[in-house]
Amino acid sequence: MKKKLITIFAMVVVFLNTTIAQPINSKISIFPAGTMLYGNIPYANDTLKKHLLDIYLPPVKKASYPLIVWIHGGAWMLNDKYADMGYMTQTLKAFADSGYAVASIDYRYSTTAVFPAQMQDCNQALEFLYDNAGKYRLDKNRIALIGFSAGGHLANMMALSANDNVKTFYADGKKARFKIRLCLDFYGPSDFSMLNGNEATDPKSPVSLLLGATVTARPDLAKIASPITYIDKSDPPFLIVQGERDQSVNPEQSKLLSSHLTAVGVKNELIIVPGAPHYGVMFDADYIRKSIFSLLDRYMK
């Protein structure tokens, strides 16, 4: 009897240790039953917690899945790879139901490393997914980005600068091989020189912390970190979604991005969500999802 108790105790200890060593993914329940999760994958060959990503594969088994890369918001200094999922549940389910893999990535905070560290991380994560596409059954030739707020800014930067030779945007200084087919931008800043309020002059504002200086003091840095700087006719198509009453990212930022893309002939659609604030369930609406999948069907098939 004593030996049996010892054995049971040992099994319980092993179970508890295993549970503690493998943190539970807080968002897997959003996805359909049968979704396969590859969690906390290191993408930069180091041990930084902000250099991890998750991959969610749809329940229906295929040889490979087109990929949507999820880039979270949080003023470049908050949140993690689970952020923004909680109010976009129907959209996430629709991605999986339609056969799309989702990879959600973390990146270093601006309070740890200033720009372009965040760009280097996001590009390195995407390069890792491209290089390991076979291992995770991803279609490396069908990649789209979706970003929210600060993540929208980073997604925009990645999509627009991918065909430019900006060595500082890559961890090893080498231009990546991946190609981005579509960018889904949810209220990401596009031009730091056109911000409302005191963002440009306050040294403690999120943009100042990102740049390591105020926009007023370093307009050159603000230009380098602004997506509209890299717009040209070879850029991928965009869906731009913005809240009408967004007090964090003024709606003119999205309107400006759309007008610049249109001016050079880049396909784009702008949706201003009536009465919507900076984020929330209003962005998980059916009509927005219809536009998302219209573009996915057109450019990711």
Side-chain angles (χ1 to χ4, degrees):
M1 183 66 180
K2 184 177 180 180
K3 287 184 178 180
K4 187 176 181 179
L5 288 173
I6 291 173
T7 301
I8 292 173
F9 177 75
M11 291 174 65
V12 170
V13 170
V14 170
F15 173 77
L16 289 174
N17 285 340
T18 302
T19 303
I20 292 170
Q22 298 178 0
I24 297 173
N25 183 295
S26 62
K27 302 301 180 184
I28 187 62
S29 61
I30 293 173
F31 293 83
T35 297
M36 178 174 286
L37 168 67
Y38 294 98
N40 290 322
I41 304 169
Y43 64 77
N45 197 30
D46 59 29
T47 59
L48 290 183
K49 290 183 179 180
K50 286 301 174 185
H51 283 167
L52 300 174
L53 59 81
D54 296 333
I55 300 173
Y56 304 84
L57 297 185
V60 177
K61 304 303 178 186
K62 292 184 179 180
S64 64
Y65 304 92
L67 174 64
I68 298 173
V69 179
W70 186 280
I71 308 177
H72 73 81
W76 304 279
M77 58 180 175
L78 299 167
N79 296 335
D80 55 27
K81 52 189 166 70
Y82 307 121
D84 304 296
M85 290 186 169
Y87 62 85
M88 295 294 290
T89 57
Q90 297 307 309
T91 299
L92 281 168
K93 289 175 183 176
F95 287 156
D97 289 339
S98 301
Y100 288 92
V102 174
S104 184
I105 65 177
D106 266 331
Y107 52 87
R108 284 172 289 173
Y109 290 157
S110 60
T111 49
T112 300
V114 297
F115 186 89
Q118 297 71 31
M119 278 291 292
Q120 293 172 359
D121 291 353
C122 291
N123 277 322
Q124 192 169 14
L126 189 44
E127 185 78 354
F128 173 89
L129 291 164
Y130 182 90
D131 290 340
N132 292 275
K135 180 178 180 181
Y136 297 107
R137 288 184 287 158
L138 307 174
D139 186 340
K140 66 181 182 181
N141 296 313
R142 291 188 289 169
I143 299 173
L145 305 179
I146 184 168
F148 301 83
S149 190
H153 163 262
L154 294 172
N156 296 347
M157 286 288 292
M158 293 171 70
L160 296 171
S161 68
N163 58 359
D164 296 284
N165 187 24
V166 187
K167 294 181 179 180
T168 56
F169 289 175
Y170 301 95
D172 59 4
K174 297 179 181 178
K175 184 178 177 181
R177 292 169 294 152
F178 58 76
K179 183 177 180 180
I180 297 164
R181 286 202 176 188
L182 175 66
C183 186
L184 307 172
D185 162 36
F186 283 71
Y187 38 88
S190 63
D191 185 353
F192 288 148
S193 71
M194 299 290 288
L195 294 170
N196 281 351
N198 64 350
E199 283 284 338
T201 57
D202 182 359
K204 295 183 179 180
S205 76
V207 173
S208 296
L209 293 175
L210 175 70
L211 299 178
T214 64
V215 171
T216 303
R218 292 295 305 271
D220 57 324
L221 289 179
K223 183 177 180 180
I224 291 170
S226 292
I228 63 165
T229 301
Y230 305 96
I231 291 176
D232 61 63
K233 63 182 180 180
S234 300
D235 292 328
F238 269 69
L239 174 65
I240 306 164
V241 186
Q242 173 75 55
E244 180 188 32
R245 296 186 179 179
D246 191 331
Q247 294 183 343
S248 296
V249 177
N250 45 303
E252 287 72 24
Q253 292 282 312
S254 290
K255 295 174 183 178
L256 186 68
L257 176 61
S258 177
S259 64
H260 276 264
L261 291 170
T262 300
V264 298
V266 175
K267 298 290 185 181
N268 72 93
E269 178 182 352
L270 172 64
I271 298 175
I272 302 295
V273 182
H278 185 55
Y279 64 91
V281 295
M282 295 178 74
F283 295 96
D284 200 26
D286 287 340
Y287 73 96
I288 296 174
R289 199 154 42 251
K290 183 177 179 180
S291 289
I292 289 173
F293 278 94
S294 176
L295 291 171
L296 288 173
D297 290 343
R298 188 183 309 173
Y299 297 108
M300 289 281 283
K301 295 298 185 183

